[in-house]
């Protein structure tokens, strides 16, 4: 019922089940990008003529929308970035490095929340700790608490929803526990905002990273929420145009947040488009998105469960958006290729999360990831295609 | 005409018989299933092709001046691709292998039928075969 808002489905017959990688974009987003480039293309925060003022206004409107959407207190807490990876790297290099002895991550992190820590020459038990998970990928709170006790000067960096498995972490509990021991917390929110609303006042994260392109916005856009009290300690890791208050040959005085973190010309069209994506979600309303996606997810879980030899890694209750599975005796890559030939797009492999795959003793999984434009008919076609692929490979 | 080119022609002709991509892949899967399995001893790092997302092994031997290749993979489709390459490259002299214009392999239409990662893997398998041929070519 929501497909009609997405031009991709008018032009492509593909059954698109890879939203965890990137979401399709609604017309309202594409139109806004086109409007910017064709009607008022100008740089922001610099010139004072009409079109430039409009560009700045629209750009800042996205910041306000995002601030209200995630219930941040102040606009300066929202910094635009290229996406979650840049947001994580910014905090890693400009806030965590040299300040914290230990970084604690979960077992379900993707490479963007592992590699930046390795780049700081941290490795397991040498500045980096990994919280165990149970067989069904449930976060081990007891182990987490022990790690916090053993490592008093810790920074916690944890995903909200696992990109590889769709597993939802008990975020509020994790953040409260971390704060109890004086640790600060960054959340990788790449897979959250497309599926449910987040409230910074409720969860009390210190840093929260947001993906634009997974939230129905354009690629190359994302954001970083920084709790106001940490802004002074977060240093810009790149500087340049639009970040300065005053420059002489002797010194530079930077602007306040968020501008000091947004050096050079920004992805203006992308950010304006991202604003429209947020409006799009707000128009549908999150309660409707949650109900609708839950229904489709449960249907997918049920139908997949009927397939012989299917292996699940999570239950359906504590999972959201993505569902990872394997078929006993078959390689996920083979399934993915055959499904592609039937015009069904899923992702197979390690999903940029090799450590957890190694821990589970598997090469990878087949992952179906859903969005509001998917419906039960998509699932039926996928299941039919999957059965055919299994038959081709097994017979 | 190089004997490898002739063999490639035959594979391309087989591919042309299929109306759609899925049928082509069913054929590749079938080739993979029929490929003789290598012994467990040969599934070692010395024969492992680096650069593939799947595990692929290519084992060379020399018989009457001709190179014989055996191969295997842990995924059926890649195994099918290995079977195709063995059909083209095995039972040929190192000189014939090295004299074959590798660009000709584009005629297989692999850009359409394998993902970029796998195409890199395909290239890695071909490179491994060429490396073996260079190792025994004394011309």
């Amino acid at each position: 019922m929501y497909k009609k808002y997405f031009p991709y489905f008018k032009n492509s017959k593909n059954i698109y089940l890879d939203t965890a990688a990137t979401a399709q974009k609604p017309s309202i987003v594409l139109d806004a990008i086109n409007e910017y480039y064709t009607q008022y293309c100008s740089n922001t925060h610099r010139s004072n003529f009409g079109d430039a003022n409009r560009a700045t206004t629209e750009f800042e409107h996205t910041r306000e929308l995002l601030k209200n959407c995630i219930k941040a207190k102040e606009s300066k807490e929202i910094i635009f970035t290229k996406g979650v990876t840049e947001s994580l790297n910014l905090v890693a290099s400009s806030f965590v490095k040299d300040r914290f002895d230990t970084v604690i991550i979960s077992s379900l992190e993707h490479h963007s929340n592992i590699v930046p820590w390795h780049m700081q020459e941290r490795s397991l038990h040498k500045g980096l700790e990994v919280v165990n998970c149970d067989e069904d990928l449930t976060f081990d709170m007891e182990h987490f608490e022990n790690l916090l006790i053993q490592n008093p000067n810790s920074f916690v960096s944890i995903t909200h929803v696992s990109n590889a498995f769709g597993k939802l972490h008990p975020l509020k509990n994790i953040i409260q526990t971390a704060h109890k021991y004086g640790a600060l917390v960054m959340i990788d929110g790449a897979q959250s905002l497309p599926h449910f609303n987040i409230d910074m006042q409720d969860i009390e994260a210190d840093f929260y990273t947001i993906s634009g392109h997974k939230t129905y916005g354009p690629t190359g856009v994302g954001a970083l929420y920084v709790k106001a009290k940490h802004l002074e300690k977060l240093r810009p890791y790149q500087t340049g145009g639009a970040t300065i208050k005053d420059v002489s040959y002797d010194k530079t005085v930077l602007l306040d947040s968020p501008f000091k973190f947004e050096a050079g010309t920004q992805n203006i069209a992308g950010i304006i488009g991202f604003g429209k994506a947020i409006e799009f979600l707000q128009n549908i309303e999150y309660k409707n998105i949650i109900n609708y996606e839950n229904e489709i997810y449960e249907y997918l879980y049920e139908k997949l469960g009927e397939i012989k030899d299917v292996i699940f890694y999570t239950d359906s209750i504590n999972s959201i958006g993505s569902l990872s599975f394997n078929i006993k005796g078959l390689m996920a890559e083979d399934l993915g290729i055959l499904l592609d030939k039937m015009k069904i797009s899923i992702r197979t492999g390690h999903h940029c999360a090799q450590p957890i795959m190694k821990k589970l003793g598997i090469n990878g999984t087949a992952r179906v990831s859903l969005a509001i434009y998917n419906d039960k008919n998509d699932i039926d076609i996928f299941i039919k295609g999957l059965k055919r692929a299994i038959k081709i490979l097994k017979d | 005409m190089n004997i490898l080119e002739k063999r490639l022609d035959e594979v391309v002709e087989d591919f042309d018989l299929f109306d759609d991509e899925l049928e082509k892949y069913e054929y590749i899967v079938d080739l993979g299933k029929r490929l003789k399995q290598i012994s467990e001893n040969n599934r070692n790092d010395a024969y492992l092709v680096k650069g593939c997302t799947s595990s692929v092994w290519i084992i060379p031997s020399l018989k009457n001046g001709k190179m014989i290749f055996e191969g295997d993979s842990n995924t059926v489709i890649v195994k099918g691709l290995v079977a195709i390459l063995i059909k083209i490259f095995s039972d040929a002299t190192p000189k014939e292998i090295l004299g074959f214009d590798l660009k000709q392999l584009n005629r297989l239409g692999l850009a359409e039928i394998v993902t970029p990662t796998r195409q890199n893997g395909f290239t890695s398998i071909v490179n491994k075969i060429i490396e073996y041929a260079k190792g025994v070519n004394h011309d």
Side-chain angles (χ1 to χ4, degrees):
Chain A
M1 75 197 213
Y2 296 108
K3 259 195 175 90
K4 62 186 176 199
Y5 299 113
F6 295 83
Y8 172 82
F9 297 107
K10 292 191 183 93
N11 302 315
S12 170
K13 296 290 168 216
N14 276 5
I15 303 297
Y16 189 79
L17 298 168
D18 195 24
T19 296
T22 197
Q24 298 303 331
K25 321 303 175 198
S27 304
I28 186 176
V29 169
L30 303 171
D31 291 347
I33 294 169
N34 192 45
E35 196 178 330
Y36 164 74
Y37 280 124
T38 55
Q39 294 183 27
Y40 62 100
C41 179
S42 316
N43 213 328
T44 53
H45 305 107
R46 290 163 172 81
S47 309
N48 273 328
F49 52 87
D51 284 347
N53 289 338
R54 185 179 168 194
T56 302
T57 304
E58 295 288 348
F59 182 96
E60 288 304 320
H61 180 57
T62 297
R63 202 186 309 272
E64 283 304 301
L65 282 169
L66 189 54
K67 182 198 93 176
N68 295 333
C69 178
I70 67 168
K71 306 242 180 341
K73 270 189 180 159
E74 301 173 69
S75 304
K76 67 179 182 184
E77 294 177 315
I78 306 291
I79 298 162
F80 289 122
T81 63
K82 290 204 294 267
V84 162
T85 298
E86 190 184 25
S87 299
L88 292 167
N89 273 278
L90 168 60
V91 177
S93 66
S94 299
F95 189 85
V96 180
K97 197 181 175 205
D98 303 327
R99 184 171 276 126
F100 293 91
D101 296 334
T102 308
V103 172
I104 300 176
I105 62 174
S106 82
S107 298
L108 301 185
E109 302 308 321
H110 64 141
H111 297 162
S112 295
N113 195 20
I114 300 172
V115 182
W117 311 120
H118 287 167
M119 291 298 113
Q120 297 178 3
E121 300 192 356
R122 299 174 188 271
S123 56
L124 193 60
H125 308 315
K126 289 175 185 164
L128 182 69
E129 297 293 339
V130 182
V131 182
N132 293 336
C133 63
D134 299 345
E135 266 182 15
D136 67 348
L137 307 179
T138 301
F139 188 84
D140 184 341
M141 283 301 296
E142 199 182 326
H143 184 225
F144 179 50
E145 200 159 355
N146 284 338
L147 287 173
L148 288 165
I149 294 166
Q150 287 158 15
N151 302 279
N153 183 27
S154 285
F155 184 85
V156 177
S157 187
I158 285 195
T159 188
H160 198 161
V161 179
S162 152
N163 74 311
F165 296 97
K167 183 81 179 179
L168 188 64
H169 272 144
L171 206 60
K172 230 175 138 175
N173 200 355
I174 289 172
I175 295 172
Q176 278 172 357
T177 307
H179 284 169
K180 193 170 104 185
Y181 292 97
L184 298 183
V185 186
M186 171 158 67
I187 302 300
D188 171 352
Q191 306 291 342
S192 312
L193 216 50
H195 304 294
F196 56 90
N197 46 321
I198 45 175
D199 181 337
M200 290 305 117
Q201 303 316 307
D202 182 44
I203 62 172
E204 294 192 283
D206 298 287
F207 302 87
Y208 197 101
T209 66
I210 291 161
S211 166
H213 74 98
K214 290 182 167 79
T215 314
Y216 306 106
T219 53
V221 180
L224 169 68
Y225 160 83
V226 183
K227 198 181 267 185
K229 66 178 181 185
H230 303 308
L231 281 168
E232 277 307 305
K233 287 182 185 160
L234 180 70
R235 285 182 58 80
Y237 77 143
Q238 56 180 356
T239 51
T243 65
I244 50 98
K245 191 183 276 177
D246 188 65
V247 177
S248 67
Y249 285 119
D250 286 330
K251 65 170 185 176
T252 293
V253 181
L254 292 173
L255 287 164
D256 290 332
S257 181
F259 306 112
K260 69 176 173 183
F261 299 108
E262 295 171 0
T265 297
Q266 297 295 291
N267 182 354
I268 301 166
I271 287 166
I272 292 170
F274 184 29
K276 293 295 171 190
I278 297 165
E279 283 180 345
F280 175 75
L281 288 171
Q282 287 175 335
N283 286 338
I284 296 174
E285 293 187 48
Y286 269 114
K287 66 173 194 291
N288 295 324
I289 294 168
I290 293 167
N291 287 339
Y292 181 76
E293 287 191 3
N294 275 350
E295 191 185 326
I296 305 292
Y297 194 95
E298 287 293 342
Y299 185 71
L300 167 67
Y301 203 92
E302 181 196 323
K303 291 289 166 190
L304 256 181
E306 290 168 7
I307 289 182
K308 196 176 167 242
D309 293 334
V310 71
I311 302 165
F312 288 130
Y313 299 93
T314 53
D315 57 21
S316 65
I317 298 162
N318 294 306
S319 306
I320 202 152
S322 298
L323 177 53
S324 254
F325 68 95
N326 266 307
I327 302 292
K328 200 175 163 191
L330 298 180
M331 292 293 283
E333 283 86 349
D334 286 334
L335 293 171
I337 288 182
L338 293 179
L339 284 167
D340 174 46
K341 302 309 154 200
M342 297 179 234
K343 300 199 178 309
I344 300 165
S345 308
I346 66 162
R347 182 163 170 192
T348 58
H350 54 64
H351 317 296
C352 298
Q354 284 177 335
I356 183 63
M357 298 296 162
K358 285 175 188 163
K359 191 171 174 176
L360 292 170
I362 53 178
N363 289 318
T365 66
R367 182 189 70 185
V368 176
S369 53
L370 303 171
I372 47 165
Y373 40 67
N374 292 122
D375 52 31
K376 287 185 180 174
N377 187 45
D378 290 346
I379 306 302
D380 290 339
I381 294 170
F382 160 68
I383 294 290
K384 201 173 155 191
L386 181 64
K387 285 179 179 168
R388 190 168 174 196
I390 293 170
K391 193 170 185 304
I392 291 170
L393 292 166
K394 278 199 170 171
D395 279 359
Chain B
M1 188 193 238
N2 185 309
I3 189 170
L4 275 69
E5 264 180 60
K6 210 174 155 192
R7 291 174 188 170
L8 177 65
D9 281 347
E10 285 167 16
V11 179
V12 172
E13 274 170 31
D14 286 347
F15 276 7
D16 285 345
L17 292 174
F18 304 114
D19 291 334
D20 66 23
E21 286 284 275
L22 185 62
E23 281 183 16
K24 200 185 275 186
Y25 263 89
E26 286 191 69
Y27 174 69
I28 294 173
V29 166
D30 196 44
L31 289 176
K33 284 179 185 169
R34 284 193 281 136
L35 185 68
K36 201 179 126 197
Q37 262 202 328
I38 60 168
S39 70
E40 204 53 44
N41 289 347
N42 283 332
R43 286 179 173 237
N44 62 44
D45 279 358
Y47 300 129
L48 189 69
V49 179
K50 300 207 165 54
C52 287
T53 45
S54 321
S55 298
V56 184
W57 299 269
I58 299 288
I59 300 108
S61 59
L62 199 60
K63 203 173 174 183
N64 302 327
K66 288 187 173 183
M67 296 206 72
I68 309 294
F69 295 106
E70 288 178 280
D72 206 349
S73 171
N74 61 344
T75 69
V76 182
I77 291 172
V78 172
K79 214 167 154 181
L81 297 175
V82 168
I84 290 168
L85 289 173
I86 286 178
K87 187 172 178 179
I88 296 169
F89 286 97
S90 193
D91 199 20
T93 65
K95 199 177 169 187
E96 284 167 336
I97 292 170
L98 296 172
F100 175 66
D101 178 9
L102 294 178
K103 283 187 195 140
Q104 294 274 344
L105 289 172
N106 290 340
R107 286 166 48 212
L108 288 169
L110 286 170
E112 316 154 32
I113 64 166
V114 291
T115 64
T117 333
R118 280 187 188 258
Q119 199 180 9
N120 292 338
F122 188 84
T123 309
S124 304
I125 302 168
V126 173
N127 288 343
K128 185 87 173 170
I129 289 171
I130 298 300
E131 190 187 301
Y132 284 140
K134 279 182 179 167
V136 293
N137 183 45
H138 303 298
D139 285 357

